[in-house]
Amino acid sequence: MKRLLTATAALLLTGGLLTATAAELPDVVKKRLAPMQEKLEKTKTGTQNYAELSARYAALSAYPETFDKFLKTATDAYNKAGGDPAKLPFIISLAALWDANEKYLSDGYEYAKKNGVDLPHYALYAAKLGMSEEEEFEGLKKIFFKANDCDTWIFKQKMQRFATLLSAKPEAEARAILKQINRIITPKLSADKERWAPIVATIRTMLETY
């Protein structure tokens, strides 16, 4: 009962107006809602994290037809939960990118640019978003330079594309970028060799071609 009431309280942050029932939500959205709800129920109210989770959960639960309604639902929940207004654009951009099964991808990208939010992972959808090759390249480069453990799948999925974009750069610049990536990811071998060894090997192989 407590879990039900907690989840209900989170939904009421939007004013109780949900435009989608559980049956109407795509399976992939339902799968994202479940862990989000669990995190929300374990998070202390009145915190920034609670406000962020409330916004994402409320908007995704509603799953409205338009991005404007998605934005309003998330904003209302976020404000009522006491979130920092300065951080809201990033939360909205992040939700549009990852949470909603690409439903608001294009609008989310435009919103991010308009509000000065730099989310390089939008480059994963460069073709759908009409990005230039330079914009796509810069996005992938930022992801590779950050080299987060949770992004190793991107290295594997986008390395060939990155290599193609890199080939258009002057040789000295391309080599410098690869050397920088190699310097960033090589130390990760000591912590998780299984995860990073194939990626390090690929980068070093690319370096040999320059």
Side-chain angles (χ1 to χ4, degrees):
M1 177 62 71
K2 181 179 179 181
R3 291 173 65 86
L4 178 60
L5 289 174
T6 305
T8 302
L11 293 180
L12 287 175
L13 287 170
T14 66
L17 299 176
L18 301 182
T19 59
T21 65
E24 295 171 336
L25 294 174
D27 288 341
V28 66
V29 172
K30 293 178 184 178
K31 289 179 181 178
R32 287 175 182 156
L33 273 174
M36 199 179 293
Q37 177 183 337
E38 185 175 351
K39 287 182 182 178
L40 184 61
E41 291 171 346
K42 293 178 179 179
T43 302
K44 184 179 179 180
T45 59
T47 64
Q48 177 62 26
N49 193 32
Y50 183 84
E52 293 176 5
L53 286 169
S54 295
R56 293 176 70 179
Y57 184 80
L60 190 58
S61 297
Y63 203 63
E65 283 303 311
T66 68
F67 175 74
D68 285 344
K69 291 181 179 179
F70 180 85
L71 173 61
K72 185 179 187 308
T73 301
T75 300
D76 288 348
Y78 186 81
N79 289 338
K80 289 179 181 179
D84 180 354
K87 296 181 179 180
L88 179 60
F90 178 81
I91 302 306
I92 298 296
S93 303
L94 191 70
L97 173 61
W98 293 125
D99 293 348
N101 198 32
E102 301 179 27
K103 185 173 183 177
Y104 315 110
L105 186 66
S106 181
D107 288 323
Y109 177 57
E110 292 302 320
Y111 172 89
K113 289 196 297 182
K114 181 180 178 180
N115 288 275
V117 177
D118 183 15
L119 270 176
H121 291 76
Y122 272 108
L124 301 178
Y125 303 96
K128 292 183 178 181
L129 296 173
M131 284 186 180
S132 68
E133 289 192 343
E134 184 62 25
E135 289 172 325
E136 181 183 6
F137 177 77
E138 286 301 316
L140 293 177
K141 186 176 74 172
K142 287 178 181 179
I143 294 171
F144 290 173
F145 276 6
K146 289 182 179 180
N148 292 323
D149 285 352
C150 61
D151 285 340
T152 51
W153 66 274
I154 300 174
F155 278 86
K156 297 172 183 177
Q157 185 182 96
K158 290 294 185 177
M159 189 59 73
Q160 186 58 52
R161 177 59 178 165
F162 183 72
T164 298
L165 295 170
L166 189 68
S167 67
K169 301 294 181 182
E171 184 174 329
E173 180 183 350
R175 183 171 178 80
I177 290 170
L178 290 172
K179 288 177 70 175
Q180 179 67 10
I181 295 174
N182 185 54
R183 283 194 293 267
I184 292 169
I185 66 177
T186 295
K188 293 180 174 291
L189 291 172
S190 60
D192 195 339
K193 185 174 182 180
E194 183 177 356
R195 180 193 296 266
W196 287 99
I199 299 170
V200 171
T202 299
I203 292 296
R204 290 177 179 176
T205 299
M206 291 172 66
L207 260 173
E208 291 175 0
T209 67
Y210 288 91

